[in-house]
Structure formats: structure tokens, C-alpha cells
Amino acid sequence: MCPPEHFTVEYAINPWMDITVPVDAALAVKQWDLLRNTLVDLGHTVHVLEPVAGLPDMVYAANGAFSVDGTVYGARFRYPQRADEAGAHRAFYTRSAWTYKTPEHVNEGEGDFTYLPGAHGGVILAGYGFRTEPAAHAEAQEMLGRPVVSLRLVDPAYYHLDTALAALDDHNVTYYPDAFSPASQRVLAQLFPDAVLADRVDAEAFGLNLVSDGRHVILNTEATAMGAKVRAAGYHPVHVELTELKRGGGSVKCAVAELRR
Ligand code: ARG
């Protein structure tokens, strides 16, 4: 995670970002602290990446890389405003002895990649259409040695995979079908017949942008209907308030890069 010390909305690269509405930076830090403490209280270890002035989106740490079993597929950002974030993440991984692979193709890390170790022998789900290049999906498969299933995103409001789909545990997912092309919806239905299906209200509340440890599902306070859905599916929803991060087009998952050793 990376604290939102330098967080602002000074450019608009997704439909949620409005440069005319000021961000409450102090509130953003307070809300971020609560998210970090929530994860720590649930027993997780949180490493903190040093924020860099001039990189206001660095708080969305999920976009900096994607790791599977100790190997890290690095990010290469779509927009120049975020390009320098990749190096900060690379420095973290190389410092702590991960195998870091530098990408050739544009991809935004866990924004567009997720991994389900217990589904189909270990499968990577990958989104494209707005940020990550389809060529990066093949590159990730080569670098990580896991099958990658390409899913096409079709709604600009859900520009990253992690705004439209989340792993609930090692083998199941929740997703908002309309964010995907009809063919990709069929692929998801085939691979995950027991998925928890979300609707437009859940997606608009950033309810899909969640982090789950397989038991606890951490999601923002606005996503009340989504909380009820995951509870009905047998998980424990834990809500945290993240109103300021939503102004940049993100929520819980965007703020957390998962480290898969
Ligand atoms: N403002 C950031 C962008 O548009 C938000 C990134 C959200 N992160 C995520 N993992 N979906 O790039």
C-alpha cells in the first residue's frame, strides 16, 4: 500500500475523475490509515511504499505490478502521468528478493490481472479494452507460466478488471456481467458457474473493487448491497469508508497490491 500523501485529482484519465472537485487530502489519509489498520487487525502484513510527490495516483498501489508464486510481472502504465510509478514498485520487489520481470507491453498490474490458485489448476484472469494491451496477456502467461484467460471490458466506467471482477477466495469470483463483452460473459459463466453475480448498483458503488482473504471481504461503506451478497455467499463483509479514493476512480482493491509468494 502507498499512503495518499500526494493524492489529488489534477488530470482525468477515467470517467470518475473530475478535476473541478477538490479532494480532501487529510480525509484521504485518514481513510487510507483505517483501511491499512483493518487489514493489519485481520492478521495481514502490510508493507508501505514511500509516496512520491508528483505521482498523485500512486495510492492505487494495485496497478504497479502483478505477482504469482514469487515472480513479479512488472507494470507499464498506459498514461504518461503514471509512468514513473512502475519504477517505485520495481525497486520494492528487487529489494525484497522477488524475481522481477520487466514488461514490454502496456499493462496496469493487478488493475487488470488477478489469480485464482484453486481454479482450473491455477488460472490468471486478465482484462483488456481500456488500459492493458491484449499482448500483455500473452506476455504475462510466458513470464508467469500460468494460463491467462483474456476478458474484454466494454464499459469505460469499469476500465480496469478490478472494478468489475474480484476473487472471493482461491477458486471463486464475483463480477458484474455487463462490464464484459457478451463472449467474455460466456467465458466467465463457463469457468465460474457458482460466481456471485453483481449488478450495476454494486459496480457503481465500487463494490467489486474488494480485497478478500477467503473469509473476510473488505469493501467500501457505499457498497451495502454487495456486502449483503457476499454475506449470503458465506463470507464476512468488512466495510471501510473510502469516499476520497473514489474521486480518482478507485476503492479498496486499487489501494492494495497483493504479494503472492
Ligand atoms: N486514477 C487512477 C487511474 O485512472 C485510478 C486507478 C485505480 N486502480 C485500480 N486498480 N483500478 O489510473
Side-chain angles (χ1 to χ4, degrees), residues 7 29 36 47 70 78 92 95 112 118 120 132 141 168 188 205 220 226-228 245-246 249 252:
F7 178 56
V29 171
R36 185 189 51 180
H47 301 274
R78 160 82 47 194
F92 168 82
R95 205 168 49 234
D112 275 319
H120 308 282
T132 296
Q141 177 166 291
L168 286 171
L188 285 168
N220 78 75
M226 192 66 208
L245 287 197
K246 196 181 180 187
V252 176

PDB file of all heavy atoms in Angstrom, residues 7 29 36 47 70 78 92 95 112 118 120 132 141 168 188 205 220 226-228 245-246 249 252:
ATOM      1  N   PHE A   7      -1.931  12.707  -2.891  1.00  0.00           N
ATOM      2  CA  PHE A   7      -3.109  12.416  -3.711  1.00  0.00           C
ATOM      3  C   PHE A   7      -3.874  13.686  -4.082  1.00  0.00           C
ATOM      4  O   PHE A   7      -4.177  14.514  -3.234  1.00  0.00           O
ATOM      5  CB  PHE A   7      -4.033  11.460  -2.934  1.00  0.00           C
ATOM      6  CG  PHE A   7      -5.313  11.120  -3.645  1.00  0.00           C
ATOM      7  CD1 PHE A   7      -5.298  10.567  -4.917  1.00  0.00           C
ATOM      8  CD2 PHE A   7      -6.544  11.356  -3.044  1.00  0.00           C
ATOM      9  CE1 PHE A   7      -6.483  10.247  -5.571  1.00  0.00           C
ATOM     10  CE2 PHE A   7      -7.737  11.026  -3.688  1.00  0.00           C
ATOM     11  CZ  PHE A   7      -7.701  10.481  -4.955  1.00  0.00           C
ATOM     12  N   VAL A  29      -6.045  10.526   3.701  1.00  0.00           N
ATOM     13  CA  VAL A  29      -5.018   9.855   4.522  1.00  0.00           C
ATOM     14  C   VAL A  29      -5.672   9.124   5.693  1.00  0.00           C
ATOM     15  O   VAL A  29      -5.324   7.984   6.010  1.00  0.00           O
ATOM     16  CB  VAL A  29      -3.954  10.868   5.022  1.00  0.00           C
ATOM     17  CG1 VAL A  29      -3.022  10.226   6.044  1.00  0.00           C
ATOM     18  CG2 VAL A  29      -3.151  11.438   3.847  1.00  0.00           C
ATOM     19  N   ARG A  36      -5.664   0.375   6.101  1.00  0.00           N
ATOM     20  CA  ARG A  36      -4.452  -0.370   6.469  1.00  0.00           C
ATOM     21  C   ARG A  36      -4.624  -1.055   7.834  1.00  0.00           C
ATOM     22  O   ARG A  36      -4.300  -2.233   8.001  1.00  0.00           O
ATOM     23  CB  ARG A  36      -3.234   0.552   6.504  1.00  0.00           C
ATOM     24  CG  ARG A  36      -1.961  -0.241   6.753  1.00  0.00           C
ATOM     25  CD  ARG A  36      -0.758   0.621   7.015  1.00  0.00           C
ATOM     26  NE  ARG A  36      -1.022   1.599   8.039  1.00  0.00           N
ATOM     27  CZ  ARG A  36      -0.148   2.491   8.474  1.00  0.00           C
ATOM     28  NH1 ARG A  36       1.058   2.534   7.946  1.00  0.00           N
ATOM     29  NH2 ARG A  36      -0.457   3.341   9.416  1.00  0.00           N
ATOM     30  N   HIS A  47       3.072  -3.889   3.798  1.00  0.00           N
ATOM     31  CA  HIS A  47       4.298  -3.135   3.516  1.00  0.00           C
ATOM     32  C   HIS A  47       3.881  -1.791   2.936  1.00  0.00           C
ATOM     33  O   HIS A  47       2.933  -1.720   2.163  1.00  0.00           O
ATOM     34  CB  HIS A  47       5.166  -3.877   2.505  1.00  0.00           C
ATOM     35  CG  HIS A  47       5.572  -5.238   2.974  1.00  0.00           C
ATOM     36  ND1 HIS A  47       6.687  -5.453   3.766  1.00  0.00           N
ATOM     37  CD2 HIS A  47       5.000  -6.448   2.781  1.00  0.00           C
ATOM     38  CE1 HIS A  47       6.768  -6.747   4.028  1.00  0.00           C
ATOM     39  NE2 HIS A  47       5.767  -7.375   3.447  1.00  0.00           N
ATOM     40  N   GLY A  70       5.920 -15.810  -6.248  1.00  0.00           N
ATOM     41  CA  GLY A  70       7.265 -15.246  -6.134  1.00  0.00           C
ATOM     42  C   GLY A  70       7.808 -14.568  -7.373  1.00  0.00           C
ATOM     43  O   GLY A  70       8.871 -13.957  -7.326  1.00  0.00           O
ATOM     44  N   ARG A  78      -0.359   2.962 -19.038  1.00  0.00           N
ATOM     45  CA  ARG A  78      -0.933   3.480 -20.284  1.00  0.00           C
ATOM     46  C   ARG A  78      -0.656   4.981 -20.451  1.00  0.00           C
ATOM     47  O   ARG A  78      -0.301   5.445 -21.509  1.00  0.00           O
ATOM     48  CB  ARG A  78      -2.448   3.205 -20.254  1.00  0.00           C
ATOM     49  CG  ARG A  78      -3.314   4.019 -21.157  1.00  0.00           C
ATOM     50  CD  ARG A  78      -3.399   3.561 -22.588  1.00  0.00           C
ATOM     51  NE  ARG A  78      -3.629   2.140 -22.742  1.00  0.00           N
ATOM     52  CZ  ARG A  78      -3.462   1.478 -23.894  1.00  0.00           C
ATOM     53  NH1 ARG A  78      -3.076   2.127 -24.974  1.00  0.00           N
ATOM     54  NH2 ARG A  78      -3.674   0.191 -23.944  1.00  0.00           N
ATOM     55  N   PHE A  92      10.822  -1.833  -4.948  1.00  0.00           N
ATOM     56  CA  PHE A  92      10.339  -2.594  -3.791  1.00  0.00           C
ATOM     57  C   PHE A  92      10.587  -4.090  -3.985  1.00  0.00           C
ATOM     58  O   PHE A  92      11.095  -4.770  -3.090  1.00  0.00           O
ATOM     59  CB  PHE A  92       8.840  -2.334  -3.560  1.00  0.00           C
ATOM     60  CG  PHE A  92       8.220  -3.298  -2.575  1.00  0.00           C
ATOM     61  CD1 PHE A  92       8.339  -3.089  -1.207  1.00  0.00           C
ATOM     62  CD2 PHE A  92       7.556  -4.443  -3.013  1.00  0.00           C
ATOM     63  CE1 PHE A  92       7.799  -3.990  -0.298  1.00  0.00           C
ATOM     64  CE2 PHE A  92       7.022  -5.356  -2.114  1.00  0.00           C
ATOM     65  CZ  PHE A  92       7.139  -5.127  -0.747  1.00  0.00           C
ATOM     66  N   ARG A  95      14.372  -5.145  -4.143  1.00  0.00           N
ATOM     67  CA  ARG A  95      14.950  -5.010  -2.798  1.00  0.00           C
ATOM     68  C   ARG A  95      14.604  -6.219  -1.937  1.00  0.00           C
ATOM     69  O   ARG A  95      15.374  -6.645  -1.093  1.00  0.00           O
ATOM     70  CB  ARG A  95      14.367  -3.734  -2.161  1.00  0.00           C
ATOM     71  CG  ARG A  95      15.205  -3.108  -1.112  1.00  0.00           C
ATOM     72  CD  ARG A  95      14.710  -1.710  -0.732  1.00  0.00           C
ATOM     73  NE  ARG A  95      13.288  -1.589  -0.452  1.00  0.00           N
ATOM     74  CZ  ARG A  95      12.477  -0.722  -1.044  1.00  0.00           C
ATOM     75  NH1 ARG A  95      12.939   0.101  -1.965  1.00  0.00           N
ATOM     76  NH2 ARG A  95      11.208  -0.649  -0.716  1.00  0.00           N
ATOM     77  N   ASP A 112      -5.610  -5.010 -13.859  1.00  0.00           N
ATOM     78  CA  ASP A 112      -6.146  -5.835 -14.935  1.00  0.00           C
ATOM     79  C   ASP A 112      -5.796  -7.323 -14.837  1.00  0.00           C
ATOM     80  O   ASP A 112      -6.096  -8.072 -15.772  1.00  0.00           O
ATOM     81  CB  ASP A 112      -5.690  -5.284 -16.293  1.00  0.00           C
ATOM     82  CG  ASP A 112      -6.605  -4.160 -16.790  1.00  0.00           C
ATOM     83  OD1 ASP A 112      -7.835  -4.290 -16.632  1.00  0.00           O
ATOM     84  OD2 ASP A 112      -6.082  -3.166 -17.317  1.00  0.00           O
ATOM     85  N   GLY A 118      -6.754 -21.895  -6.942  1.00  0.00           N
ATOM     86  CA  GLY A 118      -7.520 -23.135  -6.813  1.00  0.00           C
ATOM     87  C   GLY A 118      -8.509 -23.386  -7.938  1.00  0.00           C
ATOM     88  O   GLY A 118      -9.261 -24.350  -7.896  1.00  0.00           O
ATOM     89  N   HIS A 120      -9.224 -24.370 -11.781  1.00  0.00           N
ATOM     90  CA  HIS A 120      -8.666 -24.934 -13.014  1.00  0.00           C
ATOM     91  C   HIS A 120      -7.150 -25.103 -12.920  1.00  0.00           C
ATOM     92  O   HIS A 120      -6.416 -24.847 -13.873  1.00  0.00           O
ATOM     93  CB  HIS A 120      -9.063 -24.056 -14.207  1.00  0.00           C
ATOM     94  CG  HIS A 120     -10.542 -23.795 -14.272  1.00  0.00           C
ATOM     95  ND1 HIS A 120     -11.446 -24.731 -14.739  1.00  0.00           N
ATOM     96  CD2 HIS A 120     -11.288 -22.733 -13.859  1.00  0.00           C
ATOM     97  CE1 HIS A 120     -12.673 -24.237 -14.629  1.00  0.00           C
ATOM     98  NE2 HIS A 120     -12.604 -23.037 -14.089  1.00  0.00           N
ATOM     99  N   THR A 132      -4.790  -2.190 -20.262  1.00  0.00           N
ATOM    100  CA  THR A 132      -3.811  -3.240 -20.576  1.00  0.00           C
ATOM    101  C   THR A 132      -3.972  -3.719 -22.024  1.00  0.00           C
ATOM    102  O   THR A 132      -5.093  -3.928 -22.498  1.00  0.00           O
ATOM    103  CB  THR A 132      -3.997  -4.399 -19.575  1.00  0.00           C
ATOM    104  OG1 THR A 132      -3.673  -3.895 -18.268  1.00  0.00           O
ATOM    105  CG2 THR A 132      -3.115  -5.590 -19.891  1.00  0.00           C
ATOM    106  N   GLN A 141       1.519 -14.638 -19.466  1.00  0.00           N
ATOM    107  CA  GLN A 141       1.465 -16.105 -19.471  1.00  0.00           C
ATOM    108  C   GLN A 141       2.868 -16.696 -19.639  1.00  0.00           C
ATOM    109  O   GLN A 141       3.231 -17.649 -18.953  1.00  0.00           O
ATOM    110  CB  GLN A 141       0.540 -16.590 -20.597  1.00  0.00           C
ATOM    111  CG  GLN A 141       0.476 -18.104 -20.726  1.00  0.00           C
ATOM    112  CD  GLN A 141      -0.685 -18.560 -21.594  1.00  0.00           C
ATOM    113  OE1 GLN A 141      -1.838 -18.418 -21.203  1.00  0.00           O
ATOM    114  NE2 GLN A 141      -0.383 -19.093 -22.767  1.00  0.00           N
ATOM    115  N   LEU A 168     -12.977 -14.003  -4.717  1.00  0.00           N
ATOM    116  CA  LEU A 168     -13.524 -14.076  -3.361  1.00  0.00           C
ATOM    117  C   LEU A 168     -12.708 -15.013  -2.488  1.00  0.00           C
ATOM    118  O   LEU A 168     -12.686 -14.902  -1.264  1.00  0.00           O
ATOM    119  CB  LEU A 168     -14.978 -14.548  -3.410  1.00  0.00           C
ATOM    120  CG  LEU A 168     -15.986 -13.505  -3.921  1.00  0.00           C
ATOM    121  CD1 LEU A 168     -17.347 -14.152  -4.148  1.00  0.00           C
ATOM    122  CD2 LEU A 168     -16.095 -12.337  -2.942  1.00  0.00           C
ATOM    123  N   LEU A 188     -16.759 -16.418 -18.658  1.00  0.00           N
ATOM    124  CA  LEU A 188     -16.838 -16.364 -17.192  1.00  0.00           C
ATOM    125  C   LEU A 188     -17.888 -17.340 -16.658  1.00  0.00           C
ATOM    126  O   LEU A 188     -17.665 -18.016 -15.650  1.00  0.00           O
ATOM    127  CB  LEU A 188     -17.143 -14.935 -16.727  1.00  0.00           C
ATOM    128  CG  LEU A 188     -15.962 -13.960 -16.800  1.00  0.00           C
ATOM    129  CD1 LEU A 188     -16.430 -12.517 -16.612  1.00  0.00           C
ATOM    130  CD2 LEU A 188     -14.897 -14.320 -15.757  1.00  0.00           C
ATOM    131  N   ALA A 205     -21.077   1.492  -6.957  1.00  0.00           N
ATOM    132  CA  ALA A 205     -20.608   1.751  -5.594  1.00  0.00           C
ATOM    133  C   ALA A 205     -19.172   1.248  -5.389  1.00  0.00           C
ATOM    134  O   ALA A 205     -18.658   1.272  -4.276  1.00  0.00           O
ATOM    135  CB  ALA A 205     -21.543   1.089  -4.590  1.00  0.00           C
ATOM    136  N   ASN A 220     -15.916  -1.083   0.383  1.00  0.00           N
ATOM    137  CA  ASN A 220     -16.204   0.248   0.927  1.00  0.00           C
ATOM    138  C   ASN A 220     -17.634   0.339   1.477  1.00  0.00           C
ATOM    139  O   ASN A 220     -18.492  -0.493   1.177  1.00  0.00           O
ATOM    140  CB  ASN A 220     -15.868   1.340  -0.099  1.00  0.00           C
ATOM    141  CG  ASN A 220     -16.938   1.457  -1.143  1.00  0.00           C
ATOM    142  OD1 ASN A 220     -18.012   1.994  -0.899  1.00  0.00           O
ATOM    143  ND2 ASN A 220     -16.667   0.916  -2.322  1.00  0.00           N
ATOM    144  N   MET A 226     -23.694  -5.080  -2.055  1.00  0.00           N
ATOM    145  CA  MET A 226     -22.621  -6.041  -2.345  1.00  0.00           C
ATOM    146  C   MET A 226     -22.212  -6.761  -1.061  1.00  0.00           C
ATOM    147  O   MET A 226     -21.945  -7.976  -1.065  1.00  0.00           O
ATOM    148  CB  MET A 226     -21.430  -5.282  -2.945  1.00  0.00           C
ATOM    149  CG  MET A 226     -20.378  -6.164  -3.548  1.00  0.00           C
ATOM    150  SD  MET A 226     -20.998  -7.054  -5.008  1.00  0.00           S
ATOM    151  CE  MET A 226     -19.955  -8.478  -4.908  1.00  0.00           C
ATOM    152  N   GLY A 227     -22.157  -6.016   0.046  1.00  0.00           N
ATOM    153  CA  GLY A 227     -21.841  -6.624   1.344  1.00  0.00           C
ATOM    154  C   GLY A 227     -22.835  -7.726   1.671  1.00  0.00           C
ATOM    155  O   GLY A 227     -22.462  -8.817   2.120  1.00  0.00           O
ATOM    156  N   ALA A 228     -24.124  -7.453   1.415  1.00  0.00           N
ATOM    157  CA  ALA A 228     -25.160  -8.454   1.687  1.00  0.00           C
ATOM    158  C   ALA A 228     -24.982  -9.677   0.786  1.00  0.00           C
ATOM    159  O   ALA A 228     -25.164 -10.821   1.230  1.00  0.00           O
ATOM    160  CB  ALA A 228     -26.545  -7.833   1.470  1.00  0.00           C
ATOM    161  N   LEU A 245     -10.887   8.233  -2.217  1.00  0.00           N
ATOM    162  CA  LEU A 245     -10.249   7.441  -3.282  1.00  0.00           C
ATOM    163  C   LEU A 245     -11.177   7.227  -4.471  1.00  0.00           C
ATOM    164  O   LEU A 245     -10.736   7.052  -5.602  1.00  0.00           O
ATOM    165  CB  LEU A 245      -9.763   6.093  -2.750  1.00  0.00           C
ATOM    166  CG  LEU A 245      -8.527   6.117  -1.847  1.00  0.00           C
ATOM    167  CD1 LEU A 245      -7.917   4.727  -1.736  1.00  0.00           C
ATOM    168  CD2 LEU A 245      -7.486   7.090  -2.374  1.00  0.00           C
ATOM    169  N   LYS A 246     -12.477   7.268  -4.228  1.00  0.00           N
ATOM    170  CA  LYS A 246     -13.426   7.098  -5.325  1.00  0.00           C
ATOM    171  C   LYS A 246     -13.331   8.271  -6.314  1.00  0.00           C
ATOM    172  O   LYS A 246     -13.617   8.110  -7.497  1.00  0.00           O
ATOM    173  CB  LYS A 246     -14.854   6.967  -4.771  1.00  0.00           C
ATOM    174  CG  LYS A 246     -15.809   6.392  -5.819  1.00  0.00           C
ATOM    175  CD  LYS A 246     -17.235   6.253  -5.347  1.00  0.00           C
ATOM    176  CE  LYS A 246     -18.104   5.663  -6.466  1.00  0.00           C
ATOM    177  NZ  LYS A 246     -19.521   5.662  -6.127  1.00  0.00           N
ATOM    178  N   GLY A 249     -11.315   7.341  -9.006  1.00  0.00           N
ATOM    179  CA  GLY A 249     -11.773   6.174  -9.751  1.00  0.00           C
ATOM    180  C   GLY A 249     -11.290   4.869  -9.165  1.00  0.00           C
ATOM    181  O   GLY A 249     -11.005   3.917  -9.903  1.00  0.00           O
ATOM    182  N   VAL A 252     -11.080  -0.022  -2.473  1.00  0.00           N
ATOM    183  CA  VAL A 252     -10.245  -0.903  -1.644  1.00  0.00           C
ATOM    184  C   VAL A 252      -9.173  -1.627  -2.462  1.00  0.00           C
ATOM    185  O   VAL A 252      -7.975  -1.542  -2.168  1.00  0.00           O
ATOM    186  CB  VAL A 252     -11.122  -1.951  -0.919  1.00  0.00           C
ATOM    187  CG1 VAL A 252     -10.248  -2.928  -0.127  1.00  0.00           C
ATOM    188  CG2 VAL A 252     -12.120  -1.267  -0.005  1.00  0.00           C
TER     189      VAL A 252
END
